[in-house]
Amino acid sequence: MSTRDLSSVGLRADRQAAVLRLTITRPEKLNAVTAELIQCLYEQIAATDARVVVITGEGRAFSSGADLEPGAGGPTDGTSGGGENTLTAANRLLREITGCDAVVIAAINGPAAGIGCSIALAADLPVMAEEAYLLLPFTNIGLMPDGGVTATWAAAAGRVHAMRAALFGERIPAAEALQTGLVAATAPAAGLGELVDRWAQTLADRPRVALARTKQAINASTLGHLPQALSREETEQEALLAGADFTEGVQAFLERRQAHFTD
């Protein structure tokens, strides 16, 4: 896909030697993602022969999640321009992140919420700015967590921690994310790029096959149930997306008021 095409959906790809950097470039929307943007992320990762892929966001957020504005191509619109919904596109991306040969680093430069959080935690090495936070706000709008995060969060931090984060939808600060094993490292916002660049270069100098086999072995041991989790999330989420509580939750979010759920 050309640079112009990527720019039109809010993504920038920069390749330097063995490192591919993918930056979500919708800062005015806190890098909220659409099905088309997620599809472009997938295509870039699937096509690369880079040893390392870095995913980050432009501006003050990593990603605020799916774009909920009507007409934006998010879950409220059902499908992307290609006829595929956000959740299906996201599940394909998550399978690619966890299954590809490249080591994927998520440079969580700011808040990572919803599907943005799911993408970050699917990375092999999530690295987080000290000022950032993780958030699973799904139940606030009548949904359940998706993008494999019911598996990745629990695998990293344990069942009870995942339950608390998902049911209450509370912000998890960087210090807690590091302490519980959700992220590999934290750094002040000003130093995050330097840390990520150093890690990426170190890994880029390692043998590609050895890196890939190591990643695949660890993911097989800890995330072998991820395909089932993605399938379950997609089935259950589709039902919730069709419900009245989701409609009310999104409307309340857009109107900045308290939601009144009926289920």
Side-chain angles (χ1 to χ4, degrees):
M1 181 166 283
S2 70
T3 302
R4 179 181 176 185
D5 290 331
L6 291 179
S7 176
S8 70
V9 301
L11 185 65
R12 183 172 67 249
D14 302 297
R15 176 71 183 263
Q16 185 173 9
V19 180
L20 173 65
R21 179 180 291 269
L22 300 173
T23 304
I24 303 171
T25 58
R26 305 184 79 208
E28 74 285 355
K29 290 204 168 188
L30 296 179
N31 296 322
V33 297
T34 64
E36 190 175 7
L37 192 158
I38 292 170
Q39 175 64 17
C40 288
L41 277 169
Y42 162 77
E43 290 172 358
Q44 288 293 312
I45 297 172
T48 192
D49 62 353
R51 282 178 170 81
V52 181
V53 174
V54 177
I55 304 174
T56 193
E58 183 178 281
R60 60 190 181 93
F62 177 81
S63 172
S64 59
D67 194 332
L68 297 179
E69 289 288 346
T76 53
D77 298 314
T79 62
S80 69
E84 184 172 69
N85 65 37
T86 307
L87 184 53
T88 301
N91 283 357
R92 180 185 296 110
L93 171 62
L94 272 294
R95 290 187 181 95
E96 185 63 27
I97 288 174
T98 56
C100 69
D101 285 350
V103 177
V104 180
I105 299 174
I108 308 169
N109 55 300
I115 194 63
C117 182
S118 301
I119 293 169
L121 294 187
D124 305 304
L125 294 170
V127 180
M128 197 169 178
E130 292 174 353
E131 300 83 354
Y133 62 82
L134 305 176
L135 176 64
L136 301 179
F138 296 91
T139 59
N140 297 338
I141 56 170
L143 297 178
M144 63 175 285
D146 57 28
V149 77
T150 60
T152 55
W153 195 302
R159 169 181 169 270
V160 174
H161 195 276
M163 198 73 76
R164 175 191 135 201
L167 294 179
F168 286 102
E170 60 187 14
R171 296 180 179 184
I172 304 300
E176 182 177 340
L178 179 63
Q179 181 182 22
T180 55
L182 285 167
V183 298
T186 61
L192 183 66
E194 181 182 350
L195 172 62
V196 170
D197 289 346
R198 185 170 70 250
W199 281 23
Q201 189 55 57
T202 297
L203 292 167
D205 291 337
R206 301 285 170 87
R208 177 183 174 86
V209 175
L211 291 176
R213 297 297 176 267
T214 299
K215 164 181 173 166
Q216 291 159 2
I218 292 174
N219 280 348
S221 296
T222 58
L223 293 175
H225 58 302
L226 182 60
Q228 290 80 12
L230 289 169
S231 178
R232 179 169 53 249
E233 289 170 357
E234 187 164 5
T235 298
E236 299 296 336
Q237 195 76 298
E238 291 289 358
L240 291 171
L241 284 165
D245 279 346
F246 172 61
T247 301
E248 165 62 12
V250 171
Q251 195 64 31
F253 171 79
L254 295 175
E255 296 174 359
R256 302 182 185 278
R257 61 171 173 80
Q258 182 70 36
H260 301 288
F261 298 119
T262 56
D263 185 3

